[in-house]
Amino acid sequence: MLNTDLHNPLVKKKMTKEGFIKNNRGISNGQDLPSEALCQIYERVKADELKFTEDKGSEKRTLLFYQSSHHGWLKKEGGRRKTVKKRWFSLSDHCLFYFCAPQDDTPLGAVPLTDVAVRAINSKQGKSEYGFELIPLTTGEKIKSSKLQNNKMVMGTHDSFVMYAESEEERSAWMVHIIKSIVSDSNK
């Protein structure tokens, strides 16, 4: 989580050393780890981004998407034009990524799960009865995201981010996994 927070360009408010120490209180059988050790970890991760790669033949493939906490097909509603497209989603490292297909290396887009909530929604114009959406945790805020456009990742914001599952069980599973991955930016 620290690595993503410090090095992901989608995360605007970076975790401080004090915030990192605070987040790790009581994680050693209810006891705090030594502050000096946590400071060293923070400084090392800050100085050197952790990058995980794996050889797959002649390709380098990022392990981030292979070690997802949840993945599968969902239908995603577009931002401006409310068209719905089937996309492969991967939930990893407090971020929701989406791709054209499971074998793709580069995501079409990403939504950091910072200061968001997830809720089930009713069918919109017959699109699916198993919809759910990400919404900002604070009224008036926007959901930050990025998407691939002309071979570049561009930043965007949304009032909500709408997806549709194939069944109630699938929707529930996604919602549970997303809730577990949501982080709050306590440094505001």
Side-chain angles (χ1 to χ4, degrees), residues 7 23 32 39-40 43 53-54 64 68-69 105 111 119 124 152 165 176:
H7 298 286
N23 284 346
D32 292 350
C39 287
Q40 288 176 346
E43 290 301 330
T53 59
E54 171 182 292
L64 177 67
S68 65
S69 60
D105 289 329
V111 181
R119 67 181 178 192
K124 289 186 176 181
K152 292 181 182 176
V176 166

Side-chain angles (χ1 to χ4, degrees), residues 11-181:
V11 178
K12 295 300 178 195
K13 284 217 169 251
K14 305 297 185 187
M15 184 180 294
T16 63
K17 189 184 304 183
E18 294 75 24
F20 178 67
I21 292 169
K22 181 181 173 186
N23 284 346
N24 285 286
R25 285 191 185 138
I27 64 168
S28 180
N29 293 325
Q31 301 295 312
D32 292 350
L33 295 173
S35 293
E36 301 79 35
L38 292 172
C39 287
Q40 288 176 346
I41 291 169
Y42 179 91
E43 290 301 330
R44 188 164 183 185
V45 172
K46 184 178 179 184
D48 295 313
E49 179 180 3
L50 300 172
K51 293 184 180 181
F52 303 96
T53 59
E54 171 182 292
D55 281 321
K56 291 271 188 187
S58 61
E59 300 175 9
K60 290 272 192 182
R61 296 177 60 108
T62 304
L63 283 175
L64 177 67
F65 307 122
Y66 296 101
Q67 296 179 340
S68 65
S69 60
H70 197 68
H71 57 265
W73 290 105
L74 290 170
K75 292 177 182 172
K76 176 193 158 304
E77 189 173 273
R80 273 186 250 147
R81 297 183 210 116
K82 301 297 180 191
T83 58
V84 176
K85 293 185 179 177
K86 192 172 184 179
R87 298 289 185 230
W88 179 260
F89 280 80
S90 179
L91 184 58
S92 182
D93 210 10
H94 307 287
C95 201
L96 185 61
F97 300 91
Y98 59 95
F99 304 80
C100 272
Q103 65 273 16
D104 292 350
D105 289 329
T106 304
L108 294 174
V111 181
L113 298 174
T114 304
D115 292 329
V116 298
V118 62
R119 67 181 178 192
I121 58 172
N122 295 327
S123 175
K124 289 186 176 181
Q125 301 158 357
K127 292 180 181 169
S128 171
E129 59 185 287
Y130 308 113
F132 61 100
E133 67 181 339
L134 296 174
I135 56 171
L137 199 56
T138 306
T139 305
E141 293 287 321
K142 300 275 188 180
I143 295 176
K144 294 173 180 68
S145 67
S146 65
K147 69 178 182 177
L148 191 63
Q149 203 169 51
N150 300 322
N151 291 325
K152 292 181 182 176
M153 287 302 256
V154 295
M155 304 297 285
T157 58
H158 302 275
D159 293 324
S160 68
F161 195 86
V162 179
M163 293 148 289
Y164 302 97
E166 293 291 321
S167 68
E168 178 59 44
E169 295 78 20
E170 206 174 299
R171 173 172 66 180
S172 295
W174 273 105
M175 289 177 66
V176 166
H177 282 89
I178 289 170
I179 288 167
K180 287 179 183 177
S181 293

